[in-house]
Amino acid sequence: MNREYRHKISFLGTSKYYLFSSPENNFENEIVDFSCSKNANLYCVLMEKNSLYHLIVFIDGIGYKDWNIYFPVSDIHWINLNICLILEDSFILFNPLNSSYTINNLPLFHIYKIIYINSKIFIYSTFSEMNSECSVRMYNFYTKKDFLICKISSYGLTSDIQFLSLTDEQIKAIKKFIAFLPTYGKCHYVGLINNQKIVLEYKRLNTQILVNGITKWTVPGFIHAADIFKNCLVVLWSHLIKEPELRLLKINSKVYEFPKNSLVIAYRVDSETSQFFYFIEACRSSVTFLFLHGGPTGQFINQYSSIYAHLHKKNFNVLLLNYMGSSGYTSNYQKSLVGNGGRLDIELIKKFIKNYLRNNKSKQIIVVGESYGGYLSVLLAKKFKNEQRISFISISGFVDVRYQYLFSPARNVVQSYLLNDYENNKFNIDPAQMEYKDISNLSFIHGENDAYCSINQIKNFCRKNNFKLSIIKDLNHVLMTSNNKKSITHLLLKEINYNE
């Protein structure tokens, strides 16, 4: 596909959204992200509907302008007067004043933020091999070489900055980025409004907004993004079954009352395995969808997903398990899985499922794993092959450990978690080396062009063992559009013979 066409942006004109015309006004409609410029009265909002992205920009003195964007975007933030759009394999610097933009390829790392850029280099942050720390790095456009500047642990420890040949401006940008970087389970500094310090404190079911150390608002969910615009605090928040909402808050005026915590969302710890999970309870339902995240260092948080919301709306229980190895708890909880993947996680998840069946009235459990969680689903299907109440679905997972190590950009995951004593363990941790012809409770959903977990290994595995494979043509590994989520939800319901 032509690169310029793939990254097509079309200007729609000026518009009158008045997103923040008063504290009571909010804007709620498939919002993906928003960002406010630190140096000018500018902000932008990114929305997505039916796989079409929509960028709205407020420019002081001009008003609102908006564009259609014909490609998936994972994050937006301002760099001076340009908007940085983070994609799966590249980033775009977009100038909303004249609609011009430049496209830059990414190194082999998944980028979190672009911190600084000029004609020769850009400085960016990313997550390391095991997602246990954030790396700040510098990439040279001409030499195409990448240099480590510093590492910041997810649990608060920072390595020394390797200043290399950085300018004072670049060092200042890095230090500013570090100051605003949230850490797992801790506070996120937003900034100052009239010399009052604004901090977010993340809990499991809610987020507290602190003003000078005093809780002023309790948000019944997760705040995706927070920024300061014209001495007001702007937050984008949601919870597991509530769509994202953009809300403007005036610090010194009447306090806006957020809704109470949702009564159907619970956060618990399993008594037998000490693993953490969210549970969205449906009314007298005997069917539970149990989700396993990827990573394996990902984590579920109280943040909206149309998949969970739709399943709950159809009166199914939804369980989101932060199994051993997940980030967001303690360093030991996360790192205990290193070198023990496919064994320790499987043993603990197997105990969790048995414990759940013993203590609940569910007649049917559908275990749905994504990416590394999909790999776990494949192994678990073998462990529960004689259990008629449980079925397993792998979404964008992998089934061949050696293939992943040789050909996937995520080979570091295999190296860190699965290659320890591989020869002695391969018949227990590598599905490609195991017998699956007697398994009937497993199926697959995969993207045709998945760059991280190639569909070829999935096709071969399904052909060999006569498993059902549903292919979603435009599903990639990192970014999932609303249409992708609709397709996945439809396939999950189809799996249990539910007719919408």
Side-chain angles (χ1 to χ4, degrees):
M1 183 181 294
N2 180 272
R3 187 174 179 81
E4 290 299 325
Y5 177 77
R6 185 162 74 94
H7 293 120
K8 183 181 176 185
I9 302 175
S10 63
F11 178 54
L12 299 177
T14 57
S15 50
K16 295 182 179 180
Y17 284 93
Y18 300 112
L19 298 185
F20 312 130
S21 57
S22 79
E24 305 306 316
N25 284 2
N26 66 82
F27 191 75
E28 181 178 353
N29 184 12
E30 303 279 350
I31 303 173
V32 177
D33 201 2
F34 89 98
S35 179
C36 299
S37 172
K38 305 294 183 187
N39 303 319
N41 289 324
L42 305 167
Y43 66 79
C44 57
V45 178
L46 181 69
M47 303 189 309
E48 187 252 342
K49 196 166 187 177
N50 299 325
S51 299
L52 178 65
Y53 286 75
H54 190 60
L55 180 67
I56 304 167
V57 181
F58 173 80
I59 303 171
D60 208 17
I62 297 177
Y64 292 91
K65 302 173 74 173
D66 54 332
W67 294 262
N68 277 339
I69 299 177
Y70 297 88
F71 46 84
V73 179
S74 65
D75 182 86
I76 57 173
H77 55 276
W78 289 89
I79 300 179
N80 299 322
L81 297 179
N82 292 307
I83 301 170
C84 184
L85 309 171
I86 300 291
L87 318 183
E88 182 183 33
D89 59 353
S90 56
F91 70 92
I92 291 176
L93 281 183
F94 177 67
N95 186 329
L97 295 175
N98 57 20
S99 296
S100 64
Y101 58 94
T102 58
I103 305 168
N104 303 279
N105 289 327
L106 295 179
L108 292 178
F109 301 91
H110 177 54
I111 285 185
Y112 172 53
K113 297 281 186 184
I114 304 296
I115 300 169
Y116 175 90
I117 189 168
N118 62 27
S119 60
K120 296 180 180 179
I121 61 99
F122 67 87
I123 298 172
Y124 67 99
S125 69
T126 184
F127 292 106
S128 69
E129 293 105 34
M130 300 181 334
N131 281 6
S132 60
E133 63 195 12
C134 168
S135 296
V136 177
R137 311 182 70 92
M138 180 172 70
Y139 181 79
N140 189 298
F141 286 116
Y142 299 107
T143 64
K144 302 193 182 305
K145 290 185 177 180
D146 191 83
F147 302 95
L148 175 67
I149 295 174
C150 68
K151 294 181 180 179
I152 306 152
S153 167
S154 301
Y155 303 95
L157 299 176
T158 308
S159 68
D160 292 335
I161 296 177
Q162 305 298 316
F163 286 104
L164 304 171
S165 57
L166 299 177
T167 66
D168 290 343
E169 184 182 13
Q170 292 164 356
I171 294 171
K172 183 179 178 181
I174 293 169
K175 289 183 174 180
K176 185 176 182 180
F177 165 77
I178 293 173
F180 284 83
L181 186 68
T183 54
Y184 294 139
K186 296 190 177 182
C187 294
H188 174 199
Y189 173 63
V190 180
L192 295 173
I193 298 178
N194 297 328
N195 291 320
Q196 298 180 87
K197 186 178 180 180
I198 312 299
V199 170
L200 308 180
E201 190 168 321
Y202 295 108
K203 308 293 184 180
R204 297 301 175 184
L205 286 174
N206 57 54
T207 307
Q208 292 181 342
I209 302 174
L210 282 67
V211 180
N212 281 343
I214 300 172
T215 301
K216 189 149 189 175
W217 291 279
T218 298
V219 181
F222 180 75
I223 294 181
H224 309 225
D227 224 327
I228 295 171
F229 180 73
K230 292 188 174 182
N231 281 330
C232 292
L233 176 65
V234 186
V235 296
L236 177 63
W237 75 280
S238 71
H239 61 60
L240 286 164
I241 54 176
K242 182 199 177 303
E243 291 187 15
E245 174 183 290
L246 202 58
R247 174 67 63 176
L248 180 141
L249 304 169
K250 290 188 176 181
I251 299 300
N252 297 319
S253 65
K254 179 182 176 181
V255 176
Y256 167 76
E257 292 292 336
F258 283 91
K260 301 296 182 183
N261 283 341
S262 172
L263 295 177
V264 301
I265 301 175
Y267 178 76
R268 300 169 182 167
V269 57
D270 180 54
S271 59
E272 186 169 327
T273 65
S274 299
Q275 295 179 108
F276 305 91
F277 64 99
Y278 288 92
F279 187 69
I280 311 172
E281 187 173 12
C283 182
R284 295 186 296 276
S285 176
S286 61
V287 179
T288 298
F289 284 88
L290 190 161
F291 286 84
L292 303 174
H293 60 69
T297 53
Q299 64 165 310
F300 292 115
I301 55 178
N302 192 13
Q303 179 178 356
Y304 179 74
S305 167
S306 62
I307 296 175
Y308 314 146
H310 194 74
L311 291 175
H312 178 260
K313 187 177 179 181
K314 296 297 181 183
N315 203 41
F316 297 112
N317 298 316
V318 177
L319 194 157
L320 310 171
L321 178 61
N322 282 331
Y323 53 85
M324 185 73 72
S326 303
S327 58
Y329 294 93
T330 65
S331 179
N332 287 338
Y333 191 84
Q334 179 175 324
K335 293 181 179 178
S336 62
L337 195 59
V338 176
N340 294 307
R343 289 172 289 170
L344 177 61
D345 41 14
I346 288 296
E347 191 60 31
L348 289 173
I349 296 170
K350 184 176 75 171
K351 287 182 180 178
F352 177 90
I353 293 173
K354 287 183 176 180
N355 196 31
Y356 180 80
L357 282 172
R358 188 166 53 248
N359 296 321
N360 293 275
K361 297 179 180 179
S362 284
K363 295 180 180 178
Q364 185 179 11
I365 296 180
I366 303 92
V367 179
V368 184
E370 183 183 357
S371 189
Y372 184 89
Y375 158 74
L376 295 178
S377 294
V378 177
L379 292 181
L380 288 164
K382 185 86 171 170
K383 299 289 185 182
F384 288 96
K385 66 178 182 180
N386 296 320
E387 177 57 75
Q388 299 299 314
R389 292 177 293 173
I390 311 177
S391 57
F392 298 85
I393 302 173
S394 168
I395 301 175
S396 303
F398 61 91
V399 293
D400 192 327
V401 171
R402 292 186 299 181
Y403 185 96
Q404 279 294 105
Y405 178 71
L406 291 173
F407 300 111
S408 173
R411 69 193 302 263
N412 52 278
V413 172
V414 176
Q415 187 171 21
S416 298
Y417 292 92
L418 303 176
L419 290 190
N420 182 33
D421 202 15
Y422 171 79
E423 286 301 320
N424 288 327
N425 291 298
K426 63 183 179 183
F427 296 114
N428 293 312
I429 68 168
D430 192 346
Q433 303 295 321
M434 300 160 67
E435 180 59 58
Y436 269 83
K437 289 185 178 178
D438 59 338
I439 305 299
S440 59
N441 60 351
L442 175 63
S443 59
F444 293 81
I445 300 172
H446 216 87
E448 184 70 61
N449 299 309
D450 192 316
Y452 287 82
C453 297
S454 169
I455 197 173
N456 292 331
Q457 59 177 304
I458 305 299
K459 285 181 175 178
N460 292 335
F461 190 76
C462 290
R463 192 180 303 115
K464 176 183 175 182
N465 298 291
N466 198 30
F467 289 133
K468 180 182 177 182
L469 169 60
S470 300
I471 298 175
I472 301 176
K473 191 171 183 180
D474 63 342
L475 175 65
N476 69 38
H477 201 86
V478 177
L479 301 175
M480 194 181 290
T481 67
S482 59
N483 278 354
N484 293 156
K485 293 174 184 177
K486 288 177 184 176
S487 298
I488 288 172
T489 306
H490 173 75
L491 290 169
L492 294 180
L493 292 172
K494 190 176 178 182
E495 189 69 21
I496 59 170
N497 299 315
Y498 181 91
N499 295 316
E500 292 190 88

